[in-house]
Amino acid sequence: MDTNYKSGFITIIGRPNVGKSTFMNQVIGQKIAIMSDKPQTTRNKIQGVLTQNDAQFIFIDTPGIHKPKHRLGDFMVKIAENTLNEVDVILFMINAEEGYGRGDQFIIDRLERVKSPVFLVVNKIDKVHPDKLLPLIEMYNEKYDFEEIIPISALQGNNVNHLLDVLKSHLPEGPQFYPADQVTDHPERFIISELIREKVLHLTREEIPHSIAVVIENIEKRESDQIYIQAAIITERKSQKGILIGKQGSMLKNVGKDARKDIEALLGSKVYLELWVKVQKDWRNKQSQLLEYGFREDEY
Ligand SMILES: Nc1nc2c(ncn2[C@@H]2O[C@H](COP(=O)(O)OP(=O)(O)OP(=O)(O)O)[C@@H](O)[C@H]2O)c(=O)[nH]1
Ligand SMILES: [Mg+2]
């Protein structure tokens, strides 16, 4: 191995919906973290590994930092904040369309205590007039001593390579932690459940997207190499169950159809997906349910 090989852990933190997962998928070149226009899409920390000839970047996508309203929210914020002390570099991502708010101040207060260099990543520049960027950058500049401020569009890829170059120069010398073909620390089972949850996020509104969890109950290879997957969508109330099933099962059918496409792309084989809906009252506030659905700090 090259003696000057560089590697390190880079957390991506920020308020919900600023584009953290979109950025991670963009740099990895593969969808490993689900994305949606609903806030609080990501619920766990998810590593995305980018391996180059001379460096390995291990990005950590985190849940958006928000004011928690239940135990699941507490878990999400805690897991995001904890990454601040576990990494070599911190990316604080904001949405260029939004001004400086209380949520940003809350994050900056936490950044005051960290030792690693912090970069401000101003995302969604494709959505704003360049004239608007400068005042925004000046505003943030006054609030914290950022290592550097880098505007990007995670969706379109603008300036993302420049950001990678800058990051590389801040990575310490170190080993290649993961094999070159490994892109994430999570098992396929996790990504499959997330892809199903993403389709529910896309197809439902209001409280439904936030109130569901997806549990994979069975995965098996059947004859002719088809993969058979059974999964339960957990929801909090009977009324939500009705909406998730839809008229003559139409909603569940659409979720299944969209999820199957993504899962087939992930696994590279034909998939048969069977979904059903279960009610688990107030699960987001129950520690035992949270643990059962994989929200545990030591999980990955
Ligand atoms: N126009 C534009 N939209 C973007 C960009 N990056 C992300 N988005 C959109 O912003 C929305 C939120 O993206 P996510 O990647 O899910 O955001 P997140 O920060 O991971 O959100 P949480 O997981 O909820 O904290 C999605 O609809 C994305 O398509 C960008 O650079 N430009
Ligand atoms: Mg996310």
Side-chain angles (χ1 to χ4, degrees), residues 28-287:
I28 304 306
Q30 208 172 312
K31 184 153 123 191
I32 52 180
I34 62 168
M35 301 164 284
S36 89
D37 60 359
K38 316 271 193 311
Q40 295 160 41
T41 296
T42 305
R43 290 173 169 173
N44 307 72
K45 63 175 176 179
I46 302 167
Q47 286 188 6
V49 186
L50 173 66
T51 307
Q52 297 180 339
N53 289 335
D54 54 352
Q56 185 166 67
F57 304 73
I58 301 148
F59 290 97
I60 306 172
D61 182 20
T62 67
I65 294 180
H66 64 284
K67 210 171 178 183
K69 295 204 177 74
H70 37 65
R71 271 180 179 229
L72 174 61
D74 292 337
F75 168 87
M76 287 161 61
V77 172
K78 195 163 164 221
I79 210 144
E81 287 182 7
N82 284 351
T83 64
L84 293 173
N85 301 313
E86 300 166 355
V87 294
D88 301 292
V89 180
I90 295 165
L91 300 185
F92 172 30
M93 182 174 286
I94 60 166
N95 178 350
E97 295 174 296
E98 292 169 357
Y100 185 85
R102 243 193 291 171
D104 298 292
Q105 187 58 50
F106 180 86
I107 295 172
I108 284 182
D109 288 344
R110 266 125 201 97
L111 295 177
E112 301 292 355
R113 287 179 246 145
V114 302
K115 294 191 191 77
S116 313
V118 182
F119 291 81
L120 183 71
V121 179
V122 184
N123 189 31
K124 308 199 189 183
I125 55 166
D126 57 293
K127 293 266 277 260
V128 299
H129 192 277
D131 289 351
K132 283 202 155 173
L133 275 182
L134 206 58
L136 185 71
I137 287 173
E138 277 171 359
M139 174 79 185
Y140 276 87
N141 229 344
E142 282 172 19
K143 304 285 181 187
Y144 189 85
D145 188 16
F146 293 103
E147 193 73 31
E148 211 169 303
I149 297 181
I150 302 175
I152 66 161
S153 166
L155 195 65
Q156 301 186 346
N158 309 357
N159 221 24
V160 167
N161 281 334
H162 169 67
L163 173 53
L164 287 177
D165 287 342
V166 174
L167 283 179
K168 195 190 288 188
S169 69
H170 281 80
L171 289 183
E173 277 189 20
Q176 186 182 311
F177 290 102
Y178 289 102
D181 60 353
Q182 182 165 347
V183 291
T184 184
D185 59 334
H186 282 266
E188 276 171 348
R189 197 182 186 87
F190 171 82
I191 302 177
I192 293 167
S193 71
E194 287 285 90
L195 290 172
I196 297 167
R197 193 166 64 83
E198 183 185 64
K199 304 315 169 196
V200 178
L201 291 181
H202 289 174
L203 293 169
T204 63
R205 285 178 296 140
E206 288 156 18
E207 91 272 25
I208 308 257
H210 297 302
S211 66
I212 67 137
V214 175
V215 176
I216 305 294
E217 304 207 320
N218 186 33
I219 301 184
E220 64 185 66
K221 217 174 195 153
R222 293 223 167 143
E223 68 285 1
S224 66
D225 274 351
Q226 196 178 47
I227 297 175
Y228 181 77
I229 301 171
Q230 290 170 299
I233 300 174
I234 314 294
T235 186
E236 289 184 326
R237 287 200 297 275
K238 227 173 153 193
S239 59
Q240 296 169 337
K241 178 174 174 174
I243 295 169
L244 278 164
I245 293 173
K247 254 198 185 130
Q248 287 157 353
S250 56
M251 176 62 85
L252 207 54
K253 223 176 267 171
N254 285 334
V255 169
K257 195 173 68 181
D258 291 356
R260 184 165 51 81
K261 276 189 217 143
D262 275 16
I263 299 168
E264 286 183 341
L266 175 79
L267 302 178
S269 48
K270 277 249 165 267
V271 164
Y272 181 86
L273 179 62
E274 192 183 321
L275 296 175
W276 60 86
V277 184
K278 273 191 199 168
V279 179
Q280 203 59 258
K281 226 173 145 256
D282 203 25
W283 68 265
R284 282 182 295 174
N285 266 318
K286 292 186 179 145
Q287 190 59 17

